[in-house]
Amino acid sequence: MKEEDKELYRASIKSADTEEFLDMWFYRPLGFHCALFFRNRGIHPNIITIASIFLGVGAGICFMQENLRWNILGILLLIWANLYDSTDGQLARITGQKTRWGRILDGFAGDCWFFFIYLAIAVRETDKPIPFAPEYNWGVIIWILLSFCGFWIHGSQCQLADYYRNIHMYFTNEKNGNEFHNSIMEKKEYEATSWRTTFFWKLFLRFYVAYVENQERMSPKFQRFIKTVHAKYGTDIPASLRHEFRKGSLPLMKYTNILTFNSRAITLCFTMLIDQLWLYIVFEMVVLMALFLYTQYKHETLSERLRKKIESGYEFN
């Protein structure tokens, strides 16, 4: 790779602190080449995001079939969808086409994939016997479990993981720290936007306000901490405070990555290929939920400790 391409590649990466190993090894390098391909043809990042939605939905439809060939095709489509999920962000960064519309659409894309994936699991498992109670079929129980997993567990895990990564970038003063938003400012924009002239943007904003509000509800001690920081320092956060926050936040980034896509997708594909999809539900409800609670506890503890340190009169510089 030429030196100028290496510089451009580094510019396409969101943050070295928050990137996952599989992303850095596979998705980001390949996504960069895809981004260059689309840039040279004048294709907007949002078009790539929309394409990823169709690919992810296609994967879910393939997963509904209890057929190895269809399932392998679904896995390939899901990998392709996630590659485009990497490509659209990298393309936006190297072309300067980053927008909040694109960011919200990007999050919506992942929700679409997993809606159809959970639907696929429910369709496949409905008439199958419950493990350890083979005299009973899953029936409506699997639909209830997957609704709970999809709308509460999965959503909460991904929302908080996304929030913690944006917080980390905000405090480390990296180039994408401006993706850290608060609900007060988002509400003001929502209220100032007209339904008549910008219907779809206002609709997007309505969902985004709810999204940010939920992130804030899950991080009450951080909310008190950030108010204390802004009250004392404004947006000019001292370097030593940034450093201390990064020191506590960085070890948690590996857990936030597990809570998002790759670990979840690998487990899903494995349990599908061995035809034991109930294990994926256990993984999400037990393993990922425990990790979610641990990460939340550690991040809240870090926030509370630093808030008390500021309020005790300690001077960061």
Side-chain angles (χ1 to χ4, degrees):
M1 189 183 291
K2 297 177 182 178
E3 190 57 38
E4 57 267 29
D5 286 342
K6 289 180 181 178
E7 287 295 324
L8 198 59
Y9 173 70
R10 284 191 284 269
S12 77
I13 301 300
K14 205 177 224 186
S15 162
D17 278 2
T18 59
E19 294 287 356
E20 191 176 1
F21 169 78
L22 184 58
D23 288 337
M24 292 298 287
W25 176 77
F26 177 73
Y27 285 112
R28 299 297 182 250
L30 191 54
F32 176 67
H33 289 291
C34 290
L36 292 180
F37 175 84
F38 291 123
R39 182 198 63 175
N40 294 339
R41 284 153 183 80
I43 297 175
H44 195 278
N46 289 353
I47 300 299
I48 311 304
T49 307
I50 292 168
S52 80
I53 294 175
F54 285 101
L55 291 167
V57 169
I61 293 171
C62 289
F63 291 156
M64 290 182 190
Q65 315 301 317
E66 291 190 60
N67 178 286
L68 183 60
R69 290 183 179 178
W70 277 103
N71 293 165
I72 291 174
L73 175 60
I75 291 170
L76 293 175
L77 287 175
L78 189 59
I79 292 171
W80 192 357
N82 197 44
L83 171 62
Y84 273 9
D85 183 58
S86 179
T87 300
D88 60 7
Q90 290 178 271
L91 178 60
R93 282 185 281 276
I94 66 176
T95 58
Q97 294 176 300
K98 289 173 58 178
T99 63
R100 245 181 331 151
W101 180 278
R103 175 167 156 69
I104 295 170
L105 185 64
D106 189 62
F108 175 73
D111 292 339
C112 284
W113 307 350
F114 275 94
F115 174 83
F116 278 87
I117 286 169
Y118 288 128
L119 181 62
I121 296 173
V123 168
R124 287 178 61 138
E125 297 295 299
T126 298
D127 295 325
K128 289 185 178 178
I130 299 174
F132 313 112
E135 64 274 21
Y136 302 104
N137 289 345
W138 280 109
V140 71
I141 296 173
I142 196 70
W143 292 86
I144 295 171
L145 279 174
L146 286 167
S147 296
F148 179 67
C149 281
F151 290 106
W152 187 72
I153 291 181
H154 178 106
S156 297
Q157 290 169 359
C158 291
Q159 284 178 28
L160 198 63
D162 180 57
Y163 194 52
Y164 285 164
R165 288 190 294 194
N166 288 331
I167 288 168
H168 184 87
M169 288 186 287
Y170 178 75
F171 270 89
T172 53
N173 200 26
E174 296 199 45
K175 58 190 175 184
N176 294 290
N178 60 356
E179 292 185 6
F180 170 61
H181 300 143
N182 69 77
S183 61
I184 295 174
M185 297 302 295
E186 299 305 319
K187 279 181 183 175
K188 286 181 180 178
E189 181 171 357
Y190 169 75
E191 290 166 359
T193 304
S194 168
W195 281 109
R196 180 175 296 178
T197 58
T198 52
F199 177 84
F200 288 107
W201 176 240
K202 190 170 178 78
L203 183 64
F204 264 94
L205 282 176
R206 182 67 196 94
F207 285 113
Y208 190 61
V209 167
Y211 180 85
V212 176
E213 284 179 332
N214 196 45
Q215 290 176 321
E216 292 173 349
R217 278 193 294 270
M218 290 188 288
S219 56
K221 292 181 180 178
F222 172 76
Q223 301 311 315
R224 291 195 290 272
F225 165 61
I226 196 65
K227 285 179 182 177
T228 302
V229 170
H230 287 159
K232 184 165 185 177
Y233 302 109
T235 57
D236 188 19
I237 302 173
S240 59
L241 176 54
R242 292 181 182 276
H243 174 75
E244 190 164 343
F245 186 88
R246 179 180 182 273
K247 184 178 177 181
S249 175
L250 183 59
L252 301 178
M253 289 301 101
K254 59 180 176 290
Y255 303 128
T256 64
N257 287 329
I258 292 172
L259 290 171
T260 51
F261 179 80
N262 288 331
S263 299
R264 198 183 299 269
I266 290 168
T267 304
L268 169 71
C269 294
F270 174 73
T271 56
M272 182 173 303
L273 292 175
I274 65 172
D275 198 24
Q276 297 293 328
L277 280 165
W278 65 273
L279 288 172
Y280 173 76
I281 301 172
V282 172
F283 174 73
E284 188 161 78
M285 295 185 69
V286 178
V287 178
L288 292 185
M289 199 61 198
L291 193 60
F292 165 83
L293 293 171
Y294 172 78
T295 306
Q296 185 182 42
Y297 167 76
K298 294 293 288 184
H299 201 278
E300 289 284 272
T301 301
L302 169 66
S303 300
E304 185 74 355
R305 177 174 62 81
L306 291 177
R307 180 184 68 83
K308 289 180 177 178
K309 194 169 182 177
I310 293 170
E311 292 182 347
S312 71
Y314 183 87
E315 289 295 331
F316 288 96
N317 51 56

